[in-house]
Amino acid sequence: MSVRSTSALLHRLGRSKALRSPPAAFISRRFPPRPSSVRPFSDGGGPQFWNREDSPHGRYSHMTREDVVTEAVIVALADPTERADAALFDGPLPPGATYLGAGTSLDEFDLEELNEVQKPNVLFMCPSCPNAAEMLPAMLEAVPSLQWVHARSAGIDFVSSPELARSDKKVVLTNAKGQFSSTLAEYTMMACSYFAKDLPRLMRQKRARNWEKYDVEELRGKTMGIVGYGDIGRACAKLAHIYGMRIVALRRNPALCAGDPLCDAVYGADKDSLNRLMAECDYVVCSAPSTVETKGMVDAAAFAAAKPGLVFINLGRGPVVDEDALIAALGEEGRLKGAALDVFTEEPLPRGSALWDLDNVLLSPHNMDQTSTFMHEATEFFVNENLPRYILGEALLNPVDKVLGY
């Protein structure tokens, strides 16, 4: 039985695929020695990032065995029964790629076999792995041959840790940035319209059978501020621009927005710039990642600086926002008209949170990017787009700074 057939059988049985190794004869055919001169990561003219709408698809669909520069030997820290990872677990994989198995703890892997025979160089990280932030540094230490770690999510807070940041191991970290942006942008515009057209009032009047006209607001001509102008932020800007909104972006390196036709103004990520953005904007979208630097970044001072009637939308990470300060700003004495929140400091949101009771809060359970296929597509991006790049010796998409966390 082949490695793929054995893996598929173990998967159907709900067992870890990494518990047993493939036959030695198969290993000798599939794992030729890798030339020491091979450099799997090239500069490629600077970092490149994926976007499922704008980036070309299927570029590597005609790869052959003759194209292989570096064999990719893959293990996964993931639940081996996770069906969203079927593209990796069940294949087909590009020529030159072999998948060994998955597990959620080190004791599910035969480390001696991995290190002495199989020598995996690629680690696929999935949120289905409990305690992933602890497991990743442990796996990197236990399996020195690993060169590349790919996270199946845009945010890497589930794998970030001080141990990873301090690690001197030369490993490249990438993520699934660009897979989830479009649906979050759609949610953003829905949230803006929710408050501009006063949908809560519409629903109340419908329930009361009350035919009462009232004035609504336009989005055209309003200003949208975007805190964290990465892939998600730019997707929001694209739709807002179509609506005729003015865009003010905030990012750590404003120079990266040079020539961006969507931005009317770009500020740095310091406190004064954040407060300035809050004071200028009618709607503010927070799409910043959760890092040591961004924790509590949108605080009481930011909300105190807000333009009266501002609508705050958080779809990035909950800890970026001081939730107590947000609740205060949503009260009668606060400056906010309302908030649309898809992420929270603690998830699930505790039943005792005051946010549940606020009429001017649109609340969703961190699912506004949760289409029926979104995680499947994230795994397919790894298999069909980034994995071939590794095998061909090209620069990988979506590099992440393990210290900064994005």
Side-chain angles (χ1 to χ4, degrees):
M1 182 180 292
S2 69
V3 176
R4 176 65 63 193
S5 300
T6 304
S7 297
L9 175 60
L10 291 175
H11 181 71
R12 288 195 295 270
L13 294 174
R15 297 169 55 193
S16 168
K17 300 180 181 64
L19 293 173
R20 296 291 184 269
S21 60
F26 189 84
I27 293 173
S28 65
R29 293 197 302 272
R30 287 293 285 152
F31 301 108
R34 289 188 290 275
S36 59
S37 61
V38 169
R39 295 183 63 224
F41 313 111
S42 62
D43 293 332
Q48 302 178 56
F49 300 96
W50 170 260
N51 182 280
R52 71 172 184 176
E53 295 180 11
D54 301 329
S55 300
H57 293 247
R59 174 185 168 195
Y60 303 101
S61 59
H62 300 294
M63 275 180 62
T64 67
R65 181 70 192 177
E66 287 69 32
D67 298 320
V68 174
V69 174
T70 302
E71 295 278 347
V73 187
I74 311 156
V75 291
L77 278 174
D79 181 347
T81 67
E82 172 64 84
R83 293 313 304 158
D85 294 330
L88 172 61
F89 292 169
D90 303 330
L93 298 179
T98 299
Y99 168 66
L100 297 177
T104 57
S105 65
L106 289 184
D107 58 12
E108 294 180 55
F109 296 88
D110 186 336
L111 295 178
E112 182 177 354
E113 186 80 8
L114 287 179
N115 286 321
E116 294 185 5
V117 181
Q118 297 163 332
K119 300 186 185 303
N121 48 12
V122 181
L123 176 61
F124 181 81
M125 293 290 303
C126 181
S128 64
C129 176
N131 305 314
E134 298 177 11
M135 288 300 306
L136 177 54
M139 190 71 167
L140 292 175
E141 183 177 353
V143 186
S145 56
L146 290 169
Q147 295 180 321
W148 169 33
V149 177
H150 181 82
R152 194 202 67 181
S153 62
I156 67 158
D157 43 317
F158 83 101
V159 298
S160 295
S161 66
E163 291 76 18
L164 178 63
R166 289 194 301 265
S167 172
D168 58 359
K169 182 172 176 59
K170 303 300 182 183
V171 63
V172 171
L173 179 61
T174 60
N175 65 3
K177 175 180 179 177
Q179 285 295 127
F180 315 103
S181 305
S182 59
T183 184
L184 289 174
E186 292 172 7
Y187 161 75
T188 294
M189 300 316 298
M190 180 274 289
C192 292
S193 296
Y194 177 90
F195 289 100
K197 311 308 179 188
D198 200 351
L199 262 64
R201 177 172 178 169
L202 277 184
M203 299 307 293
R204 290 194 303 269
Q205 290 188 184
K206 180 176 183 292
R207 287 193 298 270
R209 300 173 184 266
N210 177 21
W211 183 276
E212 181 182 351
K213 293 186 178 183
Y214 62 93
D215 292 339
V216 298
E217 293 182 356
E218 282 189 283
L219 295 180
R220 181 180 62 85
K222 295 294 192 294
T223 299
M224 175 181 286
I226 300 176
V227 179
Y229 192 75
D231 193 79
I232 294 172
R234 193 168 195 279
C236 295
K238 286 173 65 176
L239 292 190
H241 181 76
I242 293 170
Y243 274 70
M245 300 181 78
R246 177 174 179 267
I247 308 299
V248 177
L250 184 144
R251 67 184 308 171
R252 190 171 63 92
N253 187 357
L256 294 175
C257 286
D260 190 328
L262 300 177
C263 293
D264 295 281
V266 184
Y267 304 147
D270 57 279
K271 288 286 188 180
D272 289 342
S273 294
L274 173 60
N275 293 348
R276 179 182 176 186
L277 177 145
M278 296 288 284
E280 291 181 10
C281 296
D282 303 288
Y283 298 85
V284 169
V285 180
C286 184
S287 56
S290 178
T291 69
V292 174
E293 288 183 350
T294 63
K295 184 175 182 180
M297 178 176 72
V298 186
D299 56 11
F303 290 120
K307 181 178 181 178
L310 180 145
V311 171
F312 184 78
I313 302 166
N314 192 10
L315 45 74
R317 287 293 186 266
V320 175
V321 178
D322 181 334
E323 219 160 79
D324 291 335
L326 171 61
I327 291 170
L330 288 164
E332 292 184 3
E333 303 300 320
R335 301 174 73 86
L336 299 192
K337 178 179 182 177
L341 308 173
D342 188 50
V343 292
F344 306 88
T345 301
E346 182 181 348
E347 296 181 5
L349 183 66
R351 293 177 62 86
S353 170
L355 291 170
W356 290 108
D357 300 318
L358 294 177
D359 293 334
N360 57 344
V361 172
L362 176 63
L363 190 154
S364 53
H366 200 161
N367 71 324
M368 288 297 101
D369 60 355
Q370 186 176 312
T371 68
S372 61
T373 60
F374 80 132
M375 283 303 179
H376 297 76
E377 292 174 7
T379 304
E380 289 163 7
F381 159 69
F382 167 74
V383 170
N384 298 328
E385 304 296 339
N386 238 6
L387 187 56
R389 284 174 167 263
Y390 179 87
I391 294 168
L392 296 175
E394 298 181 4
L396 296 173
L397 297 168
N398 298 352
V400 177
D401 188 310
K402 66 180 181 180
V403 177
L404 293 176
Y406 56 90

